[in-house]
Amino acid sequence: MDGHKRVLLAAPRGFCAGVDRAVTIVERALEQYGAPVYVRKQIVHNVHVVAELEQRGAVFVDEVDEVPAGARLVFSAHGVSPAVREAAAERGLQTIDATCPLVTKVHREAVRFARDDREILLIGHAEHEEVEGTAGEAPGHVTVVTSPEHAETVTVRDPSRLVWLSQTTLSVDETIQTVRRLRERFPGLADPPTDDICYATQNRQTAIKEVAEAADVVIVVGSANSSNSVRLVEVARQHGAPRAYRVDHGDEIEQEWLDGAVTVGVSSGASVPEVLVREVLAELAHAGYADVEEVHTAQEDLTFALPKELRTDAAGRPHPGGRGGRRDE
């Protein structure tokens, strides 16, 4: 190393198309219908985004029965089970679905495999909202597998009728390990028709791997309950970064993390607005890391359409889709 302090900034990073769409849905609902707009669970797993939407009139609840009868309710990007939809209908709620289309794809796969009487091994974190929603689409057919180690002990009814699906925000490498161990035990295990781990999760993990190989320390911007942000920290440590940390805001960076570090890697989870990354870069610049070099490993231009009820504004004018990554916030 030449001793020249620098930052390697991973690209792509931050908001993915599904998160952009979900946040835009809540914003447009507030514009179109006025406050309050209720949201079941956090619309996306980021404390900054949730706090901003609360200030604008969004009310976040844990369950449908906390919403006044007849009110407007948004389902979060992580998806919900049919039981939640039925509970909302029973209360006469006006629902808007902000489920990421890539999560919806996994839901449809679960329904189809359950219809074929297959047993689904769902790789993911048991308490995560996305896993709860997917499992709820196929009650009695889903067994959650939480790790490669768990794959060694999971029991199944009929090894000849197995298929695996996964949460969209997992570590790609760990998921591959889990599937490999499952297949060693159950050679007839069938694959989903397409990869379930979303493009944004994979792209951010690919970028952090490249950054981690050259960094003395890696800082990932993202909230503690954000699965994909936590995975980025793990991936960085597994691919060469001697130290890796997660922060919600730049002022959480501790000086001791930077002691002896020449190169600092920075990335952010798929639910993180760019303004928070800029906070981190400003803090690092104050610490002497003013030279920022972006490490590009993929180009993202995917966008998802808004629900039909939000495609026009109050004057009837058509709205565009999401903000394409919300880079400038």
Side-chain angles (χ1 to χ4, degrees), residues 97 152 186 289:
D97 192 357
E152 303 282 4
F186 312 115
Y289 301 87

Side-chain angles (χ1 to χ4, degrees), residues 2-8 216-217 219 253-255 257-266 279-293:
D2 58 11
H4 175 68
K5 290 184 176 181
R6 62 174 180 161
V7 171
L8 294 181
D216 303 303
V217 59
I219 296 172
I253 297 172
E254 298 183 18
Q255 179 56 48
W257 298 353
L258 306 176
D259 289 346
V262 174
T263 300
V264 178
V266 174
E279 282 184 13
V280 166
L281 295 179
E283 290 289 334
L284 291 173
H286 289 315
Y289 301 87
D291 183 9
V292 178
E293 174 187 341

Side-chain angles (χ1 to χ4, degrees), residues 302-318:
L302 181 65
T303 59
F304 294 129
L306 296 176
K308 61 182 182 300
E309 59 263 47
L310 297 177
R311 291 179 194 163
T312 58
D313 62 18
R317 294 184 297 265

Side-chain angles (χ1 to χ4, degrees), residues 118-119 121 156 158-164 179-192:
R118 295 242 190 182
E119 184 173 357
L121 298 181
V156 302
D158 183 353
S160 69
R161 299 198 59 77
L162 292 179
V163 63
W164 69 272
V179 172
R180 183 182 300 125
R181 295 193 189 185
L182 287 171
R183 185 158 283 127
E184 287 172 356
R185 295 187 60 210
F186 312 115
L189 178 68
D191 296 320

Side-chain angles (χ1 to χ4, degrees), residues 6-14 203-204 206-212 214-215 217-221 263-269 272-274 276-282 284 289-298 327:
R6 62 174 180 161
V7 171
L8 294 181
L9 181 59
R13 63 184 177 276
N203 287 347
R204 280 146 191 73
T206 297
I208 203 69
K209 288 176 184 180
E210 188 162 328
V211 166
V217 59
V218 167
I219 296 172
V220 173
V221 190
T263 300
V264 178
V266 174
S267 186
S268 59
V272 176
E274 184 69 3
L276 300 184
V277 176
R278 297 298 159 187
E279 282 184 13
V280 166
L281 295 179
L284 291 173
Y289 301 87
D291 183 9
V292 178
E293 174 187 341
E294 277 203 306
V295 177
H296 291 267
T297 57
R327 289 302 211 191

